[in-house]
Amino acid sequence: MAPTRPVASKASGRGGKNAKNQKVTKKYTINCSQPVSDKIFDLSAFEKFLHDRIKVEGRTSNLGDNVQISQIGDGKIEVVTHIPFSGRYLKYLTKKFLKKQQLRDWLRVVSTSNGVYELRFFNVVNEEGDEDDE
């Protein structure tokens, strides 16, 4: 009979319930300075939208101490989370807000680095200038 190996218990930090209870602090930044400077984007309305729509444990308006949302600098929103949280979820909510404000045709959400998202205008090519060359 082959010797048996000791089995790692769930309390050792590998999986199980302890992995869910660990505090993970992450900081996400959404840079909206470009559309805010052009006065087509309301930053305080976007912040309120995030407060109302972010779900924690499957429920909205359940942020508590786990998620803090604040405005920083010129046209930036910072989201600090102490629970496992997806940056893609913030991108999804930002796109949802843009659609609601009918800005989705002009703005897009781009991830510039890890945890940093930026609202940029689509690059619109001037087609009238191309026709004049012919």
Side-chain angles (χ1 to χ4, degrees):
M1 190 173 204
T4 59
R5 278 180 159 172
V7 178
S9 68
K10 289 186 178 180
S12 66
R14 297 181 64 186
K17 292 182 181 178
N18 287 344
K20 191 174 185 180
N21 294 335
Q22 290 177 353
K23 290 246 179 185
V24 179
T25 302
K26 281 203 152 195
K27 189 185 298 188
Y28 298 96
T29 306
I30 304 172
N31 185 357
C32 311
S33 56
Q34 228 179 352
V36 167
S37 65
D38 290 344
K39 296 182 173 78
I40 64 165
F41 191 83
D42 188 8
L43 197 63
S44 58
F46 180 52
E47 182 182 11
K48 182 177 179 347
F49 179 84
L50 290 178
H51 271 288
D52 295 343
R53 296 293 179 105
I54 289 181
K55 287 186 178 183
V56 176
E57 296 174 0
R59 299 177 64 199
T60 58
S61 305
N62 191 22
L63 299 182
D65 294 333
N66 295 328
V67 180
Q68 287 99 24
I69 303 169
S70 59
Q71 292 184 29
I72 56 169
D74 298 340
K76 290 185 182 179
I77 290 200
E78 183 178 66
V79 179
V80 180
T81 64
H82 301 294
I83 56 173
F85 196 81
S86 171
R88 296 278 300 167
Y89 183 52
L90 277 180
K91 185 174 181 177
Y92 163 76
L93 287 174
T94 304
K95 289 163 85 171
K96 193 170 181 131
F97 179 77
L98 290 174
K99 183 72 172 175
K100 185 178 175 188
Q101 299 295 320
Q102 298 174 347
L103 296 172
R104 190 79 175 91
D105 295 333
W106 292 279
L107 294 171
R108 63 187 183 138
V109 184
V110 179
S111 175
T112 54
S113 65
N114 195 9
V116 178
Y117 294 92
E118 184 177 342
L119 294 182
R120 291 186 183 167
F121 288 101
F122 281 110
N123 292 332
V124 179
V125 178
N126 189 2
E127 295 179 7
E128 293 174 8
D130 294 339
E131 293 173 3
D132 292 340
D133 294 339
E134 293 176 3

